[in-house]
PDB file of all heavy atoms in Angstrom:
ATOM      1  N   SER A  50       7.535 -11.426   9.702  1.00  0.00           N
ATOM      2  CA  SER A  50       7.141 -12.185   8.512  1.00  0.00           C
ATOM      3  C   SER A  50       6.331 -11.456   7.675  1.00  0.00           C
ATOM      4  O   SER A  50       6.487 -11.487   6.392  1.00  0.00           O
ATOM      5  CB  SER A  50       6.427 -13.480   8.990  1.00  0.00           C
ATOM      6  OG  SER A  50       7.196 -14.298   9.699  1.00  0.00           O
ATOM      7  N   ALA A  51       5.492 -10.638   8.095  1.00  0.00           N
ATOM      8  CA  ALA A  51       4.621  -9.757   7.263  1.00  0.00           C
ATOM      9  C   ALA A  51       5.461  -8.764   6.546  1.00  0.00           C
ATOM     10  O   ALA A  51       5.262  -8.559   5.263  1.00  0.00           O
ATOM     11  CB  ALA A  51       3.567  -8.995   8.139  1.00  0.00           C
ATOM     12  N   LEU A  52       6.402  -8.137   7.178  1.00  0.00           N
ATOM     13  CA  LEU A  52       7.279  -7.183   6.482  1.00  0.00           C
ATOM     14  C   LEU A  52       8.092  -7.826   5.405  1.00  0.00           C
ATOM     15  O   LEU A  52       8.275  -7.287   4.308  1.00  0.00           O
ATOM     16  CB  LEU A  52       8.179  -6.424   7.464  1.00  0.00           C
ATOM     17  CG  LEU A  52       7.404  -5.433   8.412  1.00  0.00           C
ATOM     18  CD1 LEU A  52       8.374  -4.991   9.492  1.00  0.00           C
ATOM     19  CD2 LEU A  52       6.968  -4.258   7.624  1.00  0.00           C
ATOM     20  N   ALA A  53       8.643  -9.042   5.741  1.00  0.00           N
ATOM     21  CA  ALA A  53       9.434  -9.784   4.739  1.00  0.00           C
ATOM     22  C   ALA A  53       8.604 -10.124   3.494  1.00  0.00           C
ATOM     23  O   ALA A  53       9.056  -9.955   2.353  1.00  0.00           O
ATOM     24  CB  ALA A  53      10.056 -11.031   5.406  1.00  0.00           C
ATOM     25  N   LEU A  54       7.442 -10.457   3.726  1.00  0.00           N
ATOM     26  CA  LEU A  54       6.523 -10.918   2.592  1.00  0.00           C
ATOM     27  C   LEU A  54       6.188  -9.693   1.737  1.00  0.00           C
ATOM     28  O   LEU A  54       6.264  -9.786   0.538  1.00  0.00           O
ATOM     29  CB  LEU A  54       5.231 -11.585   3.149  1.00  0.00           C
ATOM     30  CG  LEU A  54       4.192 -12.117   2.104  1.00  0.00           C
ATOM     31  CD1 LEU A  54       4.811 -13.181   1.330  1.00  0.00           C
ATOM     32  CD2 LEU A  54       2.992 -12.653   2.944  1.00  0.00           C
ATOM     33  N   VAL A  55       5.817  -8.604   2.361  1.00  0.00           N
ATOM     34  CA  VAL A  55       5.521  -7.364   1.655  1.00  0.00           C
ATOM     35  C   VAL A  55       6.802  -6.840   0.933  1.00  0.00           C
ATOM     36  O   VAL A  55       6.726  -6.382  -0.255  1.00  0.00           O
ATOM     37  CB  VAL A  55       4.947  -6.327   2.567  1.00  0.00           C
ATOM     38  CG1 VAL A  55       4.897  -4.990   1.863  1.00  0.00           C
ATOM     39  CG2 VAL A  55       3.553  -6.748   3.004  1.00  0.00           C
ATOM     40  N   ASP A  56       7.914  -6.973   1.582  1.00  0.00           N
ATOM     41  CA  ASP A  56       9.190  -6.641   0.787  1.00  0.00           C
ATOM     42  C   ASP A  56       9.442  -7.521  -0.457  1.00  0.00           C
ATOM     43  O   ASP A  56       9.727  -6.926  -1.476  1.00  0.00           O
ATOM     44  CB  ASP A  56      10.439  -6.811   1.697  1.00  0.00           C
ATOM     45  CG  ASP A  56      10.628  -5.781   2.740  1.00  0.00           C
ATOM     46  OD1 ASP A  56       9.916  -4.752   2.572  1.00  0.00           O
ATOM     47  OD2 ASP A  56      11.428  -5.949   3.684  1.00  0.00           O
ATOM     48  N   ASP A  57       9.110  -8.773  -0.348  1.00  0.00           N
ATOM     49  CA  ASP A  57       9.200  -9.668  -1.525  1.00  0.00           C
ATOM     50  C   ASP A  57       8.190  -9.211  -2.579  1.00  0.00           C
ATOM     51  O   ASP A  57       8.617  -9.189  -3.734  1.00  0.00           O
ATOM     52  CB  ASP A  57       8.993 -11.080  -1.118  1.00  0.00           C
ATOM     53  CG  ASP A  57      10.093 -11.719  -0.247  1.00  0.00           C
ATOM     54  OD1 ASP A  57      11.189 -11.043  -0.167  1.00  0.00           O
ATOM     55  OD2 ASP A  57       9.844 -12.804   0.317  1.00  0.00           O
ATOM     56  N   TRP A  58       7.068  -8.987  -2.172  1.00  0.00           N
ATOM     57  CA  TRP A  58       5.974  -8.568  -3.174  1.00  0.00           C
ATOM     58  C   TRP A  58       6.344  -7.198  -3.806  1.00  0.00           C
ATOM     59  O   TRP A  58       6.122  -7.023  -5.002  1.00  0.00           O
ATOM     60  CB  TRP A  58       4.639  -8.518  -2.537  1.00  0.00           C
ATOM     61  CG  TRP A  58       4.034  -9.760  -2.084  1.00  0.00           C
ATOM     62  CD1 TRP A  58       4.398 -11.016  -2.404  1.00  0.00           C
ATOM     63  CD2 TRP A  58       2.976  -9.911  -1.212  1.00  0.00           C
ATOM     64  NE1 TRP A  58       3.657 -11.972  -1.775  1.00  0.00           N
ATOM     65  CE2 TRP A  58       2.660 -11.262  -1.013  1.00  0.00           C
ATOM     66  CE3 TRP A  58       2.139  -9.057  -0.483  1.00  0.00           C
ATOM     67  CZ2 TRP A  58       1.705 -11.826  -0.267  1.00  0.00           C
ATOM     68  CZ3 TRP A  58       1.102  -9.611   0.302  1.00  0.00           C
ATOM     69  CH2 TRP A  58       0.868 -10.971   0.459  1.00  0.00           C
ATOM     70  N   SER A  59       6.911  -6.338  -3.028  1.00  0.00           N
ATOM     71  CA  SER A  59       7.318  -5.026  -3.583  1.00  0.00           C
ATOM     72  C   SER A  59       8.475  -5.235  -4.506  1.00  0.00           C
ATOM     73  O   SER A  59       8.404  -4.500  -5.640  1.00  0.00           O
ATOM     74  CB  SER A  59       7.854  -4.173  -2.342  1.00  0.00           C
ATOM     75  OG  SER A  59       6.822  -3.863  -1.491  1.00  0.00           O
ATOM     76  N   ALA A  60       9.404  -6.121  -4.324  1.00  0.00           N
ATOM     77  CA  ALA A  60      10.437  -6.340  -5.297  1.00  0.00           C
ATOM     78  C   ALA A  60       9.860  -6.829  -6.626  1.00  0.00           C
ATOM     79  O   ALA A  60      10.278  -6.499  -7.738  1.00  0.00           O
ATOM     80  CB  ALA A  60      11.444  -7.352  -4.677  1.00  0.00           C
ATOM     81  N   VAL A  61       8.843  -7.778  -6.535  1.00  0.00           N
ATOM     82  CA  VAL A  61       8.143  -8.288  -7.703  1.00  0.00           C
ATOM     83  C   VAL A  61       7.500  -7.160  -8.433  1.00  0.00           C
ATOM     84  O   VAL A  61       7.541  -7.006  -9.656  1.00  0.00           O
ATOM     85  CB  VAL A  61       7.226  -9.392  -7.371  1.00  0.00           C
ATOM     86  CG1 VAL A  61       6.293  -9.793  -8.544  1.00  0.00           C
ATOM     87  CG2 VAL A  61       7.900 -10.686  -6.817  1.00  0.00           C
ATOM     88  N   ALA A  62       6.778  -6.283  -7.676  1.00  0.00           N
ATOM     89  CA  ALA A  62       6.139  -5.128  -8.323  1.00  0.00           C
ATOM     90  C   ALA A  62       7.028  -4.256  -9.065  1.00  0.00           C
ATOM     91  O   ALA A  62       6.802  -3.866 -10.287  1.00  0.00           O
ATOM     92  CB  ALA A  62       5.342  -4.298  -7.271  1.00  0.00           C
ATOM     93  N   VAL A  63       8.195  -3.964  -8.495  1.00  0.00           N
ATOM     94  CA  VAL A  63       9.180  -3.168  -9.150  1.00  0.00           C
ATOM     95  C   VAL A  63       9.767  -3.833 -10.453  1.00  0.00           C
ATOM     96  O   VAL A  63       9.776  -3.254 -11.493  1.00  0.00           O
ATOM     97  CB  VAL A  63      10.294  -2.729  -8.188  1.00  0.00           C
ATOM     98  CG1 VAL A  63      11.483  -2.051  -8.977  1.00  0.00           C
ATOM     99  CG2 VAL A  63       9.737  -1.719  -7.134  1.00  0.00           C
TER     100      VAL A  63
END
Side-chain angles (χ1 to χ4, degrees):
S50 296
L52 288 170
L54 186 58
V55 172
D56 282 347
D57 291 345
W58 291 346
S59 296
V61 170
V63 169

